[in-house]
Amino acid sequence: MTHRSIHSTLLAVAVVLAACGKGSTPQQLVSGDAAQKVYVAPGQYDEYYAFLSGGFSGQVSVYGLPSGRMLKVIPVFSQFPENGYGYDEETKSLLQTTYGMVPWDDTHHAELSQTGSVPDGRWLFINGNNTPRIARIDLTRFETDEIIQIPNAAGGHASPFTTGNSEYVVSATRFSVPVPNADVPIESYKQNFKGTLSFIRADQPGKMDVAFQIMMPGFDFDLGHAGKGPSDGWFFFTTYNTEQAFTKLEVNASKNDKDFIAAVNWKQAEQCVKAGKAKAFPSEYVHNYVNEASRVAVSERKHSVLMLDPRNCAGVVYFLPTPKSPHGVDVDPTGEYIVGGGKLAAVIPVHSFTKLKKAIADQAFDGDLDGIPILKYDAVIAGEVQKPGLGPLHTEFDGKGYAYTSMFISSEVVKWKLGTWEVVDRAPTYYSIGHLMIPGGDSKQPFGKYLVAMNKITKDRYLPTGPELAQSAQLFDISGDKMKLLLDFPTTGEPHYAQAIPAAMIKDKQVKFFDLAKNTNPFVVRAESEGGIERKGKNVHIKMVAIRSHFAPDNLEGVMVGDTVYFHVTNVEQDWDILHGFAVLGMNTSQLILRPGETRTLQWVPRAPGVYPFYCTDFCSALHQEMQGYIRVSSPGSSVALKANISAKAASQAGRVGAFLPGSPHDHMKNGAM
């Protein structure tokens, strides 16, 4: 018997024995092979990368499937002291908004870039719900490269779902507000509050921008998905609070028997924009991106968007009545069926795109709302899944003709058949499932095999950790006729939605180090002889090399209390995974983690005279402990000369200490950004 089979057998026995304990169920008693199905031997790789939103953590977490092992946390909207993201001078600008630097957010929906309505592994997009933003993550480096703020919006929840070739990512208003925002009575909601649908050009890194917005009635917009196949060129958004209530929404926004799915013909919207029917609308927002060569973030402010009124663009938006308080809207792999998930509905409604087109041609309308036609429910409905469970939220597809819907209230996943609408299987979740995810399950070609349930409540599933418990994900095998629970694993933050992709699509494309010769950071140091120290008024700049196993320079003098010190540290290694760190005593920001070939800058303000050690924070070699240095800080007005122990050769080349610095980057750093 092989090592792997022995280990798998032991794990299987452990699962069976555990299942025989208190609270065991027949399903658990026969699922001992689950351990073998999720076991990934040491040195072996998972089949899938899974990207889970971090919810209130503001980040994205990466897990391997089927093992459930966490591989990485990708910092996005929140500062991340583990590697200095959002603290160092190179990345601070990524968190700039019109509200100033906003160093946190609430991430909800991860979305992979697509080609031909199939995930392609280039980028991952993620939304910020609180301060409406969309971020782009480069999947060759698993790093956030770009963040754009969404103007004329509050609550970027229906975001950042992508069109079939990643022409656009979208963001729809969760909280309608006055547009433009203004001091008006809240009681004037119906007169003054509006929603917006934003189409963000996303097909070129570093150039994300608001292509156009569509002004909508003052509803709450919840989720979105793009059409595909016959419905390509359309986008679908759920809405609730069609009552346009503004107090006690749990009662007052749940009165209507049906709310809407907004069906948006974005190809038609493009034509109207090109024809000049969208008007320039004063709008303040911020676009942040990382320069590819210097790896320094740049922040730019924008002042206008093109706003399209549906009344000026016939055929751009239609409302599909959908019961009741819908959350999810999901399009099956063929592009024919549009599935609603009414949180308070007794059925799962499925609309037909073919019927939608016919209803538009036949003008089968039940009036209009703010000039947007309301299609007749019976004219567009393909069928209803009867008695599916309680609290349907979100549906994904396996590509084999089946749909899987999460049931929040009854804590289960329900499998049903497209076309016949019959329920064919149920599996309990523990507990209160929100979203679910099948790899590629919202695309034209689902990868299938697994389903991940993202649950809101974890009591009694793990060792207790006080009143604040971990969120939970559960892995199901969906390769057979019946769903089979394989694994529980805790998650970071609160995962709302997730995406997964076969590891083979991106594993071999990973950047392993940055080419030092191509590093154009204005403070890069490619050799020890280029290091040194320079004063510019009250600012002191230090250029430093990090290399196994020392810093150069590693002794610095001439700094005074009242100075602002910038450590510009370059990791000159050119080997994979040879990282260095940097921290100095008394710093009140964060350490730095330096990937091979990159430059990062730490701002430090000494508060009292003394000698302060700095050191490497990432274990890098057998002499890691010896990788340290000192900076001497004197009283204000001291005559201690500025000094760095660079080599004699470097000093003679420089002519004086610190003659190395360009002017303009220093000027930017006066304001703590580059």
Side-chain angles (χ1 to χ4, degrees), residues 137 172 234 414 553 596:
I137 296 167
W234 288 71
V414 174

Side-chain angles (χ1 to χ4, degrees), residues 633-661:
V633 177
S634 303
S635 299
S638 169
S639 60
V640 175
L642 209 63
K643 179 181 177 182
N645 63 332
I646 57 176
S647 68
K649 179 180 178 181
S652 64
Q653 288 174 338
R656 66 183 189 277
V657 172
F660 52 78
L661 287 178

Side-chain angles (χ1 to χ4, degrees), residues 226-468:
K228 53 182 76 79
S231 56
D232 184 35
W234 288 71
F235 222 100
F236 304 94
F237 300 88
T238 48
T239 74
Y240 63 99
N241 192 22
T242 53
E243 298 86 351
Q244 295 185 279
F246 52 87
T247 61
K248 296 183 179 178
L249 264 63
E250 63 178 341
V251 175
N252 296 322
S254 302
K255 293 181 177 179
N256 290 343
D257 182 57
K258 292 183 176 67
D259 292 287
F260 299 126
I261 289 173
V264 179
N265 186 339
W266 62 263
K267 292 283 190 180
Q268 176 69 11
E270 282 187 326
Q271 294 304 311
C272 287
V273 170
K274 289 178 182 177
K277 295 182 179 181
K279 305 302 180 185
F281 196 89
S283 306
E284 295 292 317
Y285 62 106
V286 172
H287 172 231
N288 311 311
Y289 63 95
V290 174
N291 179 282
E292 184 178 356
S294 69
R295 294 182 43 73
V296 177
V298 176
S299 184
E300 57 183 359
R301 199 168 181 117
K302 306 278 188 171
H303 305 285
S304 179
V305 299
L306 291 172
M307 185 70 73
L308 186 62
D309 187 327
R311 288 171 288 197
N312 298 328
C313 184
V316 72
V317 184
Y318 298 90
F319 284 137
L320 312 180
T322 303
K324 177 178 184 184
S325 296
H327 183 64
V329 54
D330 302 284
V331 182
D332 86 304
T334 71
E336 169 62 17
Y337 297 124
I338 303 113
V339 181
K343 301 189 295 289
L344 304 178
V347 299
I348 298 174
V350 184
H351 300 288
S352 161
F353 185 74
T354 300
K355 289 189 172 184
L356 180 152
K357 293 288 286 183
K358 186 176 187 302
I360 292 171
D362 294 345
Q363 296 191 341
F365 303 145
D366 268 335
D368 70 87
L369 201 159
D370 285 3
I372 299 171
I374 302 171
L375 295 166
K376 291 182 178 180
Y377 183 73
D378 291 340
V380 295
I381 198 73
E384 296 176 336
V385 181
Q386 300 291 328
K387 299 180 180 179
L390 300 177
L393 290 185
H394 173 218
T395 300
E396 293 219 338
F397 309 91
D398 63 6
K400 301 176 182 178
Y402 293 98
Y404 300 74
T405 301
S406 56
M407 299 289 174
F408 174 76
I409 296 174
S410 53
S411 292
E412 59 183 334
V413 176
V414 174
K415 178 181 178 181
W416 49 275
K417 187 172 179 59
L418 290 161
T420 67
W421 325 122
E422 60 181 320
V423 173
V424 298
D425 193 24
R426 298 175 183 274
T429 61
Y430 305 98
Y431 305 93
S432 300
I433 181 176
H435 284 267
L436 51 75
M437 178 272 290
I438 295 171
D442 66 343
S443 76
K444 195 173 183 178
Q445 296 177 5
F447 304 112
K449 191 171 184 178
Y450 298 118
L451 179 149
V452 177
M454 285 154 279
N455 306 325
K456 303 302 183 186
I457 297 173
T458 62
K459 60 182 181 182
D460 77 27
R461 298 303 291 180
Y462 309 111
L463 288 171
T465 55
E468 184 180 356

Side-chain angles (χ1 to χ4, degrees), residues 53-71:
S53 69
F56 39 71
S57 79
Q59 319 292 39
V60 170
S61 299
V62 186
Y63 296 83
L65 298 180
S67 73
R69 300 181 296 197
M70 179 186 280
L71 305 176

Side-chain angles (χ1 to χ4, degrees), residues 27 37 404 415 423-427 476-485:
Q27 181 188 17
K37 289 185 176 181
Y404 300 74
K415 178 181 178 181
V423 173
V424 298
D425 193 24
R426 298 175 183 274
F476 289 84
D477 181 348
I478 60 169
S479 60
D481 293 336
K482 299 295 183 181
M483 293 176 280
K484 188 173 185 179
L485 177 61

Side-chain angles (χ1 to χ4, degrees), residues 476-514:
F476 289 84
D477 181 348
I478 60 169
S479 60
D481 293 336
K482 299 295 183 181
M483 293 176 280
K484 188 173 185 179
L485 177 61
L486 299 179
L487 182 70
D488 280 21
F489 58 96
T491 57
T492 297
E494 181 187 0
H496 291 264
Y497 185 49
Q499 297 263 273
I501 195 168
M505 291 185 69
I506 59 176
K507 176 176 68 70
D508 296 330
K509 299 177 182 178
Q510 297 305 297
V511 171
K512 296 183 178 180
F513 60 88
F514 299 103

